[in-house]
Amino acid sequence: MCIDFGMSRADFRAVYQEKKPLLVRGAVSPGSFTWRDVNALFERCNVAEDSFKLAYDGIRPKQEYVERYLDVGTPRYRLIKPVVYAYMRKGATLIANKIKHEPKVSAFARAVGEFTGRQVVSSAYTAFGQRSSFRCHWDTRDVFAIQLIGRKRWLIYPPSLESPLHTQQSKHYEDRYPCPSEPCMDIVLEPGDVFYLPRGWWHDPLPVGEGCFHLAIGTFPAYAADYLEWSVRQMHASLEVRRSLERWEEDQQLLADIGPLFSTFIQSPENYQRFMEQFHAASRDEAALALEHFGDPGADSINEQASLHLRAHSSYGLEQDYLMHDGHKMKFHPCIADLIRMIRESPGLQVRTLLERSGFEDRQLLRDLLTQLCRQEVVFVSDA
């Protein structure tokens, strides 16, 4: 599931990321998803979770379209399909958020994660009518919309609150920061198109009276607010921070004393690095299970035709020959770090190509090293 973004990662960061929208026509193969894939995707979702929604004049209550039943004594949930069909015919939108372990969706999410270097979350939307899925709103995350079936019209308005955080949803702020009256973009996404929209930009995705399906891949970096919140928690060791507050006249000097302490703390490169390491250590980027390749003691090292990817999207610390990996700081020999950097810069790099580009004279040793990195999930094989 390759995405042709039409530019380098560096150019995207410099010109578009968190700055302005980007429309890439024909970025993916329009035949990547069929209605059979869509049906299977929604059917495998846990429909009882809050992340699964049916939108029609707002979000419909679960009891309207989800049934709880006992399956040999085990409670389970399923869609009441006639109800869902009736709503869809009237113009409802079916939504699945936080999608995991769906190979086709994961491949698109992987491509966005590698392109942006950020953690990603995937959602899916399908509709058949002409009603707005939601009223015009902004998102608190950057989104890549990947149109896969049918067409969808998007009305885009410039932000009235720039770069909102997750606590600043448009439904709570639109009285103070209303949507502009005139759209700055009015586009129709065709199958295969990819549309990037930074957080804070107002938008109203509108079905156009035909079956449509798209994925929305949201990206999640560390924000300055996250660093400040973390810093406050770290400063509990300072006596000044632990003082009680009573009246401004008595406390203003205490707060004045804390200001320089806080400023010194957040401007420390060591503290910044500690925060970033902890942030990235908490991330878990998805990779497919490959028992037959890496769980079988009789399996050989990986094939030279295999394509390699770095599991971590962000690769924080790799320039200093380490990675934050599953909550730990994993240090590498400079030669191994060079290999990992080559994979990061060329996602999908074949083992054979890596063998040719590297300075390793012992090809079997290198294959064995790469196999060990795969078993530790530092690297994964895309066709495994």
Side-chain angles (χ1 to χ4, degrees):
M1 301 297 173
C2 179
I3 301 177
D4 182 2
F5 293 97
M7 67 185 67
S8 69
R9 286 175 286 186
D11 287 344
F12 173 76
R13 286 194 294 269
V15 179
Y16 293 98
Q17 186 162 274
E18 298 189 359
K19 298 179 181 68
K20 60 182 180 179
L22 170 66
L23 173 60
V24 186
R25 296 289 189 187
V28 304
S29 171
S32 301
F33 258 80
T34 66
W35 282 113
R36 182 176 181 178
D37 296 318
V38 175
N39 290 329
L41 168 63
F42 281 106
E43 207 156 28
R44 285 191 291 264
C45 291
N46 185 342
V47 298
E49 291 185 348
D50 291 340
S51 57
F52 191 95
K53 304 176 188 294
L54 182 65
Y56 182 83
D57 290 339
I59 302 301
R60 306 312 306 172
K62 287 284 185 184
Q63 61 268 26
E64 288 188 8
Y65 65 97
V66 173
E67 175 192 21
R68 182 183 185 275
Y69 68 101
L70 292 179
D71 180 12
V72 196
T74 301
R76 299 190 189 279
Y77 298 86
R78 67 179 180 183
L79 292 177
I80 306 173
K81 292 178 183 176
V83 174
V84 174
Y85 296 153
Y87 268 117
M88 299 296 283
R89 289 198 303 273
K90 291 191 292 184
T93 297
L94 197 61
I95 305 162
N97 295 314
K98 300 180 181 179
I99 301 170
K100 287 287 187 182
H101 307 300
E102 287 287 342
K104 287 191 174 184
V105 177
S106 297
F108 284 124
R110 162 64 51 182
V112 171
E114 289 176 337
F115 186 65
T116 61
R118 295 179 171 183
Q119 191 174 12
V120 297
V121 173
S122 304
S123 301
Y125 299 78
T126 191
F128 293 88
Q130 292 181 288
R131 296 172 63 97
S132 175
S133 301
F134 300 98
R135 59 196 180 94
C136 198
H137 65 285
W138 72 57
D139 289 328
T140 58
R141 60 196 180 278
D142 290 13
V143 171
F144 288 79
I146 306 172
Q147 191 68 30
L148 293 166
I149 297 177
R151 299 174 300 157
K152 201 163 195 176
R153 181 186 179 195
W154 288 64
L155 298 177
I156 308 299
Y157 304 80
S160 48
L161 175 64
E162 188 175 352
S163 300
L165 297 172
H166 71 278
T167 56
Q168 298 170 312
Q169 297 185 27
S170 57
K171 61 183 178 182
H172 302 308
Y173 281 77
E174 58 188 346
D175 290 342
R176 284 171 285 173
Y177 303 94
C179 179
S181 57
E182 294 295 327
C184 58
M185 297 178 70
D186 183 349
I187 59 175
V188 175
L189 296 189
E190 305 277 349
D193 292 346
V194 171
F195 182 54
Y196 165 73
L197 191 66
R199 59 193 168 108
W201 286 69
W202 291 88
H203 57 286
D204 192 3
L206 298 166
V208 295
E210 63 190 46
C212 62
F213 172 78
H214 82 271
L215 296 176
I217 312 296
T219 68
F220 295 83
Y223 296 120
D226 299 323
Y227 180 42
L228 298 181
E229 291 175 7
W230 176 88
S231 298
V232 169
R233 293 194 299 272
Q234 306 307 307
M235 291 189 67
H236 289 177
S238 299
L239 177 59
E240 290 83 354
V241 174
R242 303 200 305 271
R243 298 291 191 190
S244 58
L245 300 177
E246 297 289 345
R247 288 178 294 276
W248 171 252
E249 293 77 13
E250 299 174 5
D251 298 330
Q252 57 181 317
Q253 185 57 52
L254 171 63
L255 298 175
D257 293 340
I258 290 174
L261 293 176
F262 189 67
S263 178
T264 299
F265 186 94
I266 64 175
Q267 293 184 69
S268 161
E270 292 79 16
N271 291 332
Y272 177 86
Q273 183 174 353
R274 279 203 299 137
F275 162 75
M276 292 296 283
E277 287 181 351
Q278 290 182 25
F279 177 85
H280 291 290
S283 301
R284 298 292 186 273
D285 296 316
E286 191 176 346
L289 190 65
L291 294 172
E292 75 282 18
H293 289 274
F294 307 118
D296 183 355
D300 197 2
S301 53
I302 54 178
N303 191 286
E304 292 194 6
Q305 310 302 317
S307 298
L308 300 172
H309 295 258
L310 185 60
R311 200 193 83 180
H313 297 161
S314 66
S315 67
Y316 183 82
L318 192 52
E319 302 310 319
Q320 289 77 44
D321 299 342
Y322 74 91
L323 274 178
M324 302 311 299
H325 178 70
D326 289 350
H328 302 286
K329 189 172 186 177
M330 182 176 283
K331 297 182 179 180
F332 301 105
H333 187 279
C335 293
I336 305 300
D338 283 341
L339 295 175
I340 299 174
R341 282 190 284 266
M342 290 173 66
I343 297 169
R344 179 192 61 184
E345 296 306 315
S346 302
L349 186 68
Q350 283 192 329
V351 174
R352 176 179 56 189
T353 305
L354 187 58
L355 291 171
E356 293 169 352
R357 293 183 184 177
S358 72
F360 277 76
E361 296 182 1
D362 190 332
R363 295 171 69 93
Q364 185 57 47
L365 174 60
L366 179 53
R367 287 179 60 194
D368 291 342
L369 287 171
L370 292 171
T371 302
Q372 286 300 320
L373 290 173
C374 287
R375 287 173 179 158
Q376 296 175 43
E377 277 212 300
V378 175
V379 173
F380 77 95
V381 178
S382 59
D383 59 355

